[in-house]
Amino acid sequence: MATNVIENQSDIVEEIVWQERTLDIDRIARVVKGGRRFRFRALVVVGDGHGQVGIGIAKGADVTAAITKASATAKKNLINVAISNETIPHEIQSKKGGAIILLKPAPNGRGLIAGGVVRSILELAGISNIVSKSLGSSNKINMSYATLKALTQLVPKDQWLIKNKFQVKNKTTIVEDKK
């Protein structure tokens, strides 16, 4: 866990505690004249548990270097998540590569119903009641990017467009018949 200190204009010091989770570590190889050169790739998610979450991928000569670089990348790529009543405001589906993620809001007490990478990202975002389903590929990197993409596309309830009856009555639709 890492801490960042932020000083506001009123000289109040806030302390943000970042939680980090390593989701995946892979050994990757580069073929050169004398054989193979091995390095490591790490996938890390960072969040504060109150609506901010980010993911990062980095490579390094050893595992600790890869994790350190990935966590620094994740802190640079933080997003704010729209959370209402410990769940998301509406259902959403997102795709990245072959991975398709479906996220649905759940009532209080239902819990976090998700698996693997999606579960870790949602926990660190601070969402405790949600239902998710992975519909496509199980590639951890694409699943994490699809989950983050879905979380960025959420619209808070107070920004939803509400149509009143007057607008609906005056709207006319023109249908053209092709003969």
Side-chain angles (χ1 to χ4, degrees):
M1 295 218 281
T3 59
N4 288 351
V5 177
I6 298 174
E7 293 184 25
N8 290 338
Q9 294 164 349
S10 61
D11 294 333
I12 298 173
V13 177
E14 285 184 35
E15 193 170 327
I16 299 176
V17 178
W18 297 109
Q19 298 173 352
E20 297 178 7
R21 285 207 192 137
T22 304
L23 301 178
D24 191 28
I25 297 174
D26 289 324
R27 188 179 76 166
I28 56 175
R30 175 177 77 225
V31 179
V32 293
K33 185 178 177 181
R36 294 187 192 123
R37 303 279 182 198
F38 293 106
R39 294 173 66 188
F40 295 91
R41 180 181 61 204
L43 173 63
V44 174
V45 62
V46 173
D48 65 350
H50 299 290
Q52 282 192 322
V53 68
I55 57 173
I57 299 174
K59 299 173 187 173
D62 58 349
V63 175
T64 55
I67 291 173
T68 305
K69 287 180 187 179
S71 64
T73 305
K75 287 178 185 175
K76 290 178 186 175
N77 298 328
L78 288 172
I79 62 160
N80 291 321
V81 181
I83 300 174
S84 60
N85 297 331
E86 298 180 354
T87 187
I88 57 176
H90 56 86
E91 180 179 325
I92 193 154
Q93 183 173 341
S94 179
K95 180 179 178 179
K96 174 68 179 177
I100 302 169
I101 299 294
L102 174 66
L103 301 176
K104 291 184 177 182
N108 284 339
R110 182 73 183 261
L112 182 60
I113 300 173
V117 174
V118 180
R119 182 179 192 90
S120 297
I121 293 172
L122 295 174
E123 280 178 353
L124 292 182
I127 301 171
S128 59
N129 295 306
I130 194 167
V131 177
S132 74
K133 179 69 180 169
S134 173
L135 301 171
S137 170
S138 61
N139 183 332
K140 291 181 181 182
I141 294 173
N142 285 344
M143 282 178 54
S144 62
Y145 277 126
T147 305
L148 211 63
K149 183 178 173 184
L151 293 176
T152 57
Q153 293 174 349
L154 290 173
V155 178
K157 282 187 179 181
D158 58 351
Q159 294 180 3
W160 288 359
L161 178 65
I162 300 173
K163 294 182 180 178
N164 59 20
K165 293 178 185 177
F166 182 73
Q167 288 176 339
V168 174
K169 282 182 186 176
N170 291 337
K171 189 174 183 179
T172 59
T173 49
I174 300 171
V175 180
E176 294 181 12
D177 291 332
K178 292 184 179 181
K179 292 183 180 180

